[in-house]
Amino acid sequence: MVVFLANRANLQSKRLHDRIRNRISAEFDDVHRRRTEPREAGPYRVVGTVNPQQFLDEKTYPTTIARIEVGFQLQTGEPYEYYWFNWIEPERQLLVGWHQDDTHDDLGPVHLQVSDSATAVDHQPADFIDSHPLDVVEQRLESLPDAVTAVKWNDERPAGLR
């Protein structure tokens, strides 16, 4: 595990997202930083593509196309950053992601969400990682395979987490 001891108070958004881009380029293809859409929180997302069969080491995984989207919002008014760390499978209309924001206060500061197209089908509380954003990326990357494979399916649609 890599530990980042940099001062979080001095983070700059563009530089942080460029460092995330550099980090995930080792495991994902076509990694780039993009500006967020008006409906998205935060200024940037880092996006990369991957073959889930290779990434998850499951030759029978039902799709060969997925992407990851990671974004942080600094200066939130909280003593920590907000973030969105999403695994998206367009062919299956699946999103599995950790969200640290103020949308589900009943679940705590972080939740794991499963969505079918644009509809959330499950939310679960998740571990709060009070650490530098690059450390959060490391820990979420490490947990990603288990989170994706924990999704249960009903009638060809995600039904939630096991």
Side-chain angles (χ1 to χ4, degrees):
M1 172 186 267
V2 178
V3 177
F4 297 93
L5 301 174
N7 183 353
R8 290 164 61 183
N10 292 328
L11 288 173
Q12 295 177 354
S13 192
K14 189 174 182 180
R15 182 174 292 156
L16 169 64
H17 287 86
D18 285 342
R19 290 180 69 190
I20 293 168
R21 182 191 67 213
N22 291 342
R23 167 56 189 93
I24 68 173
S25 290
E27 291 149 296
F28 295 86
D29 300 317
D30 190 28
V31 177
H32 59 280
R33 177 183 39 83
R34 68 165 175 84
R35 286 202 164 277
T36 55
E37 300 291 327
R39 62 178 164 64
E40 296 175 306
Y44 300 105
R45 290 291 186 274
V46 177
V47 180
T49 60
V50 71
N51 179 335
Q53 293 176 348
Q54 294 172 345
F55 182 78
L56 301 171
D57 197 26
E58 287 191 25
K59 302 304 178 217
T60 60
Y61 197 79
T63 188
T64 58
I65 300 169
R67 75 177 181 271
I68 189 171
E69 292 190 6
V70 179
F72 281 82
Q73 180 179 344
L74 308 176
Q75 297 141 2
T76 62
E78 301 287 345
Y80 52 85
E81 303 80 21
Y82 289 165
Y83 68 85
W84 300 268
F85 191 107
N86 295 320
W87 170 273
I88 301 163
E89 296 177 15
E91 291 176 345
R92 300 199 311 162
Q93 298 182 343
L94 171 69
L95 177 145
V96 178
W98 289 275
H99 302 158
Q100 182 165 303
D101 54 28
D102 59 1
T103 59
H104 295 282
D105 291 333
D106 57 320
L107 297 174
V110 182
H111 62 277
L112 180 61
Q113 177 173 320
V114 176
S115 296
D116 173 8
S117 188
T119 306
V121 296
D122 196 7
H123 293 95
Q124 301 287 328
D127 291 336
F128 175 70
I129 303 170
D130 188 13
S131 186
H132 189 281
L134 292 173
D135 188 44
V136 171
V137 170
E138 287 295 326
Q139 291 186 51
R140 293 302 182 210
L141 278 172
E142 185 177 307
S143 301
L144 185 59
D146 289 338
V148 171
T149 58
V151 175
K152 61 184 177 182
W153 290 77
N154 287 337
D155 300 321
E156 303 297 320
R157 299 189 98 55
L161 298 165
R162 293 176 220 191

